[in-house]
């Protein structure tokens, strides 16, 4: 059970859009529509931003959106704001009640 | 308000045992899985396992099977993560989180984290 592959870092200017990819296999990302995304600010607990590939929990701005194609899921943040600067982790169901996280992506707002 | 609240930071020596806790409130504790996640210093999130407090059904990541024990006491709405013999490499922040209904990988809300430091 290997970690999902994410870029180590991405960046964008305020107002721009950025996309973070999350690549797995047919046994996790590609096999189920159970991908979630978490935002983690320094020294804070992670926060759920997207679940079931595309769904947003109540309270999460609609600037955050999720998608999936084959074995790769993506998180897109539009209209970047300074407070979006954080680490982002993807997470996928991997069968047999198990779950795997991505390695994390550091988003820098320039 | 749905929340999970974890026990405080711990400092232990190698070889010692430890049990940290995660108390749920604001919802029916027995009807939702609780998950545990490790974050080593400066590193990413690692899924350790989940427990269903209603019947104590427990599932572990292969990486953590045999290394830790996950349990729950539904009478006090509390889940636990324990070690019988700590190693320096167990130094990390440990998060618990409620698993969303009809899901295994949707975690919300999260506890504040418990810092475990293992040092001689």
């Amino acid at each position: 059970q290997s970690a999902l592959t994410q870029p180590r870092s991405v960046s964008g200017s305020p107002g721009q859009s950025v996309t973070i990819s999350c690549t797995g296999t047919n046994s996790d990302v590609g096999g189920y529509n159970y991908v979630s995304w978490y935002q983690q600010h320094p020294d804070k607990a992670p926060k759920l931003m997207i679940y079931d590939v595309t769904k947003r929990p109540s309270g999460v701005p609609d600037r955050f959106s999720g998608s999936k194609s084959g074995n790769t899921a993506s998180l897109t943040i539009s209209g970047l704001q300074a407070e979006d600067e954080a680490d982002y982790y993807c997470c996928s169901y991997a069968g047999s009640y198990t779950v795997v996280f991505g390695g994390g992506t550091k988003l820098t707002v320039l | 308000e749905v929340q999970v609240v974890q026990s405080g930071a711990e400092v232990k020596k190698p070889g010692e045992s430890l049990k940290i806790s995660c108390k749920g409130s604001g919802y029916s504790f027995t009807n939702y899985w609780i998950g545990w996640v490790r974050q080593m210093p400066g590193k990413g999130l690692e899924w350790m396992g989940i427990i269903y407090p209603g019947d104590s059904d427990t599932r572990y990541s292969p990486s953590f099977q045999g290394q830790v024990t996950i349990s729950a006491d539904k009478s006090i709405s509390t889940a636990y993560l324990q070690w019988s013999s700590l190693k320096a490499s167990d130094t990390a922040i440990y998060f618990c989180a409620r698993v969303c209904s009809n899901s295994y990988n949707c975690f919300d809300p999260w506890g504040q984290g418990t810092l475990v430091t293992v040092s001689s």
Side-chain angles (χ1 to χ4, degrees), chain B residues 15-29:
Chain B
E16 292 186 332
S17 63
L18 176 65
K19 192 173 190 178
I20 62 175
S21 67
C22 170
K23 183 174 177 61
S25 63
Y27 72 98
S28 178
F29 185 74

Side-chain angles (χ1 to χ4, degrees), chain B residues 2 14 40 49 57 70-71 73 80 91 102:
Chain B
V2 175
M40 299 178 76
D57 187 6
I70 295 171
S71 61
D73 184 341
Y80 301 98
T91 294
N102 301 317

Side-chain angles (χ1 to χ4, degrees), chain A residues 52-76:
Chain A
D52 292 355
V53 179
T54 61
K55 298 176 182 175
R56 260 189 327 273
S58 173
V60 172
D62 59 7
R63 302 186 293 103
F64 291 83
S65 62
S67 63
K68 191 186 86 165
S69 178
N71 294 339
T72 298
S74 299
L75 173 71
T76 297

Side-chain angles (χ1 to χ4, degrees), chain A residues 34 36 38 40 45 91 99, chain B residues 39 45 47 59 104-105 107 111:
Chain A
Y34 291 127
S36 53
Y38 301 88
Q40 187 181 33
C91 179
V99 162
Chain B
Q39 187 166 39
L45 304 176
W47 183 79
R59 310 290 171 140
Y104 297 109
N105 76 317
F107 299 100

Side-chain angles (χ1 to χ4, degrees), chain B residues 48-103:
Chain B
M48 301 177 72
I50 52 174
I51 186 165
Y52 190 75
D55 61 7
S56 291
D57 187 6
T58 308
R59 310 290 171 140
Y60 292 93
S61 160
S63 300
F64 291 93
Q65 178 85 47
Q67 308 304 307
V68 297
T69 300
I70 295 171
S71 61
D73 184 341
K74 60 185 178 184
S75 70
I76 54 172
S77 301
T78 301
Y80 301 98
L81 178 66
Q82 70 180 89
W83 296 259
S84 58
S85 180
L86 286 160
K87 303 185 283 284
S89 57
D90 292 318
T91 294
I93 298 173
Y94 294 88
F95 293 101
C96 69
R98 191 186 77 164
V99 179
C100 310
S101 59
N102 301 317
S103 175

Side-chain angles (χ1 to χ4, degrees), chain A:
Chain A
Q1 200 178 45
S2 301
L4 306 175
T5 300
Q6 298 181 232
R8 300 203 76 163
S9 63
V10 297
S11 62
S13 299
Q16 288 187 331
S17 293
V18 295
T19 296
I20 300 171
S21 62
C22 169
T23 301
T25 68
N26 290 333
S27 298
D28 38 62
V29 175
Y32 309 93
N33 285 322
Y34 291 127
V35 175
S36 53
W37 290 89
Y38 301 88
Q39 176 192 66
Q40 187 181 33
H41 287 109
D43 299 321
K44 297 293 186 184
K47 175 187 175 184
L48 177 67
M49 304 302 286
I50 296 287
Y51 67 101
D52 292 355
V53 179
T54 61
K55 298 176 182 175
R56 260 189 327 273
S58 173
V60 172
D62 59 7
R63 302 186 293 103
F64 291 83
S65 62
S67 63
K68 191 186 86 165
S69 178
N71 294 339
T72 298
S74 299
L75 173 71
T76 297
I77 309 170
S78 58
L80 264 181
Q81 299 182 4
E83 60 261 34
D84 298 334
E85 184 163 295
D87 293 327
Y88 291 85
Y89 294 90
C90 62
C91 179
S92 174
Y93 181 60
S96 301
Y97 295 81
T98 64
V99 162
V100 60
F101 280 98
T105 298
K106 181 176 179 58
L107 168 62
T108 301
V109 180
L110 302 170

